[in-house]
Amino acid sequence: MFRDDTKKIRIGDVMIGGGNPIAIQSMTNTKTEDVKATVEQIHRLEAAGCEIIRCAVPTMEAAKALFEIKKQIHIPLVADIHFDYRLAIAAIENGADKIRINPGNIGESERVKAVVEKAKEHDIPIRIGVNSGSLEKNLVEKYGGVTAKGLVESALDKVRLVESFGYDQLVVSIKSSDVMMCVKAHEELAKKCIYPLHVGITESGTLLAGNIKSSIGLGLILNQGIGDTIRVSLTGDPVEEIKSAKIILKTLVLRKGGIEVVSCPTCGRTKIDLIGLANQVETMVSDIPLDIKVAVMGCVVNGPGEAKEADIGIAGGIGEGLLIKKGEIIKKVKEEELLEVLRQELLNWNE
Ligand code: SF4
């Protein structure tokens, strides 16, 4: 189903599916057993714009820690379970707003049923997650390797298993680090699945590779109207995942809000430390609730003209720079005051 028609699913106080805004997720990389460190990281993620957080639950201690973590955070918490169904049950009992399992690695169906019964009792959804790395042998053989079709069949088998236990509060995900296989799998799955899809490119890599692969993969999938919640997976600080997810959604015009900072690529005419300045501007605008475009340009000669499409901008020169609106020079400003002048303009924005 396209995202406007998928089933609406509630995760804590966040609704996904059925045309709700695409929710941004991330996953903590602290030890879940360490409540203080995990809560601190979740607070940073909340401030960055994370709307749903997932924590790994590898031990019973981690499952119990969810109880304390939940009390101190403000966004829904998803427990990520592998293999041990008892951890899934404990995570639900300790307040998880959703659990993520791969029924394929939980074992016999009675164990999956026990997890489903517990989710039902607590009225929380289950994300059924299928990963290319753990595709069942019979499907690998049937399709002659790990393929999009095999991944889709695996996911739908699991959906039917959970449905057979009388439960339909489901979210489905298919992950593959092969970007184009992932895209194909989502196209196939969307044709056959009424549940919201959690979209992400797994093991996409460090900041540069991960951002590129995620942007291409998520871009191709989301732009077709597929996908109800996303996670950009990066090897790094999870806050970077949120920043990237916001830019991807904004670029696809799937979410509004937030200042978009554009900056020139720099060239031989650049007169200031533009890379440093652009980074400073990006941080400075992150808490300003405007939906406009801000340009940061490297020279006062071409900067104003090249920043025409931006609502406001600055261009740096030696000793002094310019404040620009829609390509027009508004005033000259001392170089060291550029950032503050821009901030004041944004805080008093009334156009
Ligand atoms: S704005 Fe100036 S510094 Fe930046 S790319 Fe254009 S000409 Fe070069």
Side-chain angles (χ1 to χ4, degrees):
M1 294 271 171
F2 292 119
R3 77 175 64 88
D4 284 347
D5 303 316
T6 49
K7 187 176 170 64
K8 288 192 174 98
I9 298 290
R10 185 182 56 77
I11 304 159
D13 56 4
V14 174
M15 293 296 295
I16 64 164
N20 278 291
I22 297 167
I24 297 175
Q25 310 205 15
S26 184
M27 186 164 180
T28 50
N29 59 10
T30 52
K31 291 220 173 310
T32 307
E33 294 86 344
D34 184 343
V35 173
K36 187 168 176 283
T38 304
V39 166
E40 268 170 21
Q41 188 170 69
I42 295 174
H43 286 168
R44 284 201 303 120
L45 287 160
E46 286 177 358
C50 180
E51 293 159 320
I52 298 171
I53 187 67
R54 182 158 48 115
C55 298
V57 178
T59 61
M60 199 47 88
E61 196 191 343
K64 288 183 182 153
L66 298 184
F67 185 75
E68 281 307 316
I69 294 169
K70 271 283 296 173
K71 281 199 255 175
Q72 299 178 45
I73 64 171
H74 315 90
I75 53 177
L77 188 152
V78 183
D80 190 87
I81 314 290
H82 282 273
F83 306 111
D84 191 341
Y85 79 109
R86 288 164 301 188
L87 295 179
I89 290 173
I92 299 170
E93 286 171 341
N94 281 283
D97 296 295
K98 174 181 161 197
I99 53 162
R100 184 265 182 189
I101 56 168
N102 177 354
N105 67 31
I106 292 288
E108 56 197 62
S109 70
E110 279 310 302
R111 291 180 173 181
V112 178
K113 188 176 179 194
V115 176
V116 174
E117 291 300 333
K118 190 53 79 174
K120 214 188 280 184
E121 186 188 319
H122 288 253
D123 193 20
I124 64 155
I126 298 173
R127 163 150 75 99
I128 294 174
V130 172
N131 200 311
S132 60
S134 56
L135 186 63
E136 293 86 342
K137 248 188 178 167
N138 64 320
L139 291 172
V140 174
E141 280 163 18
K142 179 176 172 183
Y143 292 102
V146 177
T147 63
K149 278 195 163 48
L151 287 168
V152 172
E153 187 170 330
S154 174
L156 293 176
D157 281 350
K158 315 271 170 8
V159 166
R160 280 190 285 269
L161 176 68
V162 175
E163 284 175 336
S164 75
F165 301 134
Y167 207 49
D168 65 356
Q169 296 303 298
L170 302 179
V171 179
V172 183
S173 69
I174 282 186
K175 298 244 185 113
S176 168
S177 55
D178 178 327
V179 177
M180 296 319 285
M181 186 197 295
C182 200
V183 172
K184 201 150 184 269
H186 281 85
E187 290 168 356
E188 292 290 320
L189 183 62
K191 286 182 204 156
K192 298 172 180 162
C193 182
I194 60 160
Y195 300 109
L197 301 186
H198 169 116
V199 186
I201 306 295
T202 196
E203 295 140 21
S204 54
T206 50
L207 225 50
L208 177 66
N211 270 321
I212 294 172
K213 285 190 195 177
S214 291
S215 305
I216 293 174
L218 290 173
L220 289 169
I221 294 166
L222 294 172
N223 198 40
Q224 298 183 63
I226 299 167
D228 305 88
T229 177
I230 61 168
R231 179 196 175 194
V232 173
S233 298
L234 297 174
T235 306
D237 184 345
V239 168
E240 296 300 324
E241 300 185 350
I242 303 302
K243 289 188 198 164
S244 301
K246 284 164 85 178
I247 295 173
I248 290 171
L249 292 180
K250 205 168 157 59
T251 306
L252 292 165
V253 203
L254 289 169
R255 286 281 288 257
K256 286 194 159 193
I259 292 177
E260 181 183 355
V261 178
V262 295
S263 49
C264 79
T266 74
C267 71
R269 296 182 197 87
T270 311
K271 299 281 187 250
I272 50 164
D273 167 23
L274 192 81
I275 299 170
L277 186 61
N279 279 321
Q280 279 178 301
V281 171
E282 223 168 55
T283 308
M284 184 269 281
V285 302
S286 62
D287 63 341
I288 301 178
L290 289 173
D291 187 9
I292 59 169
K293 199 182 266 190
V294 173
V296 186
M297 312 304 283
C299 73
V300 294
V301 182
N302 293 348
E306 292 182 19
K308 254 194 199 115
E309 282 172 23
D311 299 280
I312 189 166
I314 49 176
I318 299 171
E320 61 180 16
L322 303 173
L323 182 71
I324 320 156
K325 279 190 182 169
K326 298 273 181 203
E328 299 295 324
I329 297 168
I330 302 300
K331 62 176 166 188
K332 281 190 180 169
V333 183
K334 280 191 193 148
E335 189 185 344
E336 61 272 19
E337 290 170 6
L338 267 176
L339 200 64
E340 188 50 30
V341 167
L342 177 63
R343 182 167 174 82
Q344 288 311 318
E345 287 286 329
L346 294 171
L347 290 176
N348 297 305
W349 193 257
N350 56 10
E351 283 176 28

